[in-house]
Amino acid sequence: MKKTLGFGLQALKNFLSGEKQPTDIYIMLTSRCNSRCIMCNEWKEKPFELPKKAWFSIIDDLVGFCGSFAKINFSGGEVLTMPSGLDIVQHCASKNFATGIVTNGFSINKAIARKLLTMGLFNINVSVDGLKPETHDFFRGFQGAGKRVFESIDILLNEKKKADSKTRIILKTIIARQNITEIIPLINWVKKKKLDGISFQPIAQTFGEDENVNWYKKSNLWPRKNELSKINKVLDEIVSLKKLGYQIYNPLSALQAFKAYFKNPSVVSRGECLVGSEDLTIFCNGEVILCGKFPVIGDLRIKDKDIKKIWYSKKADKVRKMIKNCRKKCLLTCYTKYSFLEKIKLFFQSSSPKLH
C-alpha cells in the first residue's frame, strides 16, 4: 500500500510539474538465460553482467535521484541464473522501491520462492505462454518448460500463503497465433488459482534482431489473415473480462489498440509517446536508454557518470524530442503508458480486494 501510494504521488508530481523524474525503471540485470525462447535471441549471446558492487551503487544513486518513489523491474536474460541476482534485487527492495522481477520460473524452488516472497517485492511476474504445457514448451524452446513453470507457480503460491506475503504474483503472456485459443482459459485459470493478475504482450519482432518493419510477414508466430476474426473475438473477450473486474493489468486503451496492431503492425495510430519523460532502462553492460528504438543516452561504466546527470543530459533531451515525434507502432507492455486517470484507477484496483 505504501509503495503504491508513493508511486502514485510521484506520478502526480510528474503530471503537475514541468521537471520530471523517471517513474518506471527497467534493469536488465544479466544476459544469461536458461530458456531458449523462439521470440528472443538474448540466450544466444555471450553472457554479460556488471558486478554486484556496481549494481548496489547504481541502486543507491537511484534512491538519491528518485527518493524511492519509482517502480523498478528486474529482468534479463533470467535474473535467477545470476549468482548475485537475488542479492541485488533484495538490496533494491530494501530501499523501499516498488520492486518487481520477471522470471521464467525454471530456477524457482522452495528456498528461492521463500526469499522472493519475504524481501518485500511489489510483484513477481512469471512468463506463461499457454495453459497447455506443450504450448509453453513450444514458445520456450524445450520440452518440460510448461510442466516446470506450473510447478514453480504452485511453489510460489504455497510459500506466499505460509509467509502471509503481500507480493503480487502475476502472469506475463504473449499473444500469438499458436496460443490464441488458450488466452481466455488462461485468464479463468488465473482467477481459479487466485493469482494476482495477468498482463498480455502481443507478439513483436524477435528481441535482439535488427529492426525490420516487415518482420511479421515472415514470422511463424504472426496470425494469418484468415485467423484475424478469431484473434479479434478473443481480444473483445479480454476487454469484456477486464471491464467485469478481472485482474488484467493492460490498460483498456492498450487492449483496444491490439486489434489495429494485429490488422497491420506498421500502421501508425497513436498520439504522443510519454516514454521519454517517465521511463529509464539500464542494460546489463551499464548502457542507459529511454526507449529501445532510439540511441543510448549514457553509460554508467564511465567515471563520474550517474543516473541524474544522464537523465538531464543534452543527449537525453535530444532523444526525448525524437521520441515525442515518433509515430512507430509500439505495443510493448513495458512501454505501454497508462493515462493519469488510468494510474489513479490502477491505484484503487491494487488497494482493493480482487475478484476471485
Side-chain angles (χ1 to χ4, degrees), residues 211 268 270-277 289-297 313-330:
E211 187 173 0
V268 174
R270 65 175 173 84
E272 180 180 330
C273 180
L274 301 176
V275 165
S277 60
I289 64 167
L290 298 176
C291 171
K293 297 179 182 293
F294 293 93
V296 171
I297 62 169
S313 67
K314 289 182 180 178
K315 187 180 287 188
D317 285 340
K318 182 179 179 179
V319 171
R320 281 191 189 94
K321 289 177 182 177
M322 295 166 66
I323 292 173
K324 188 175 181 179
N325 295 320
C326 174
R327 293 298 178 266
K328 296 177 182 178
K329 178 75 74 172
C330 177

Side-chain angles (χ1 to χ4, degrees), residues 3 24 43 97 120 143 163 207 216 218 249 275 295 347 350:
K3 291 178 182 180
D24 297 272
W43 57 272
F97 284 114
Q143 191 173 359
F207 186 80
Y216 63 97
K218 296 181 179 180
Y249 277 84
V275 165
F347 164 71
S350 301

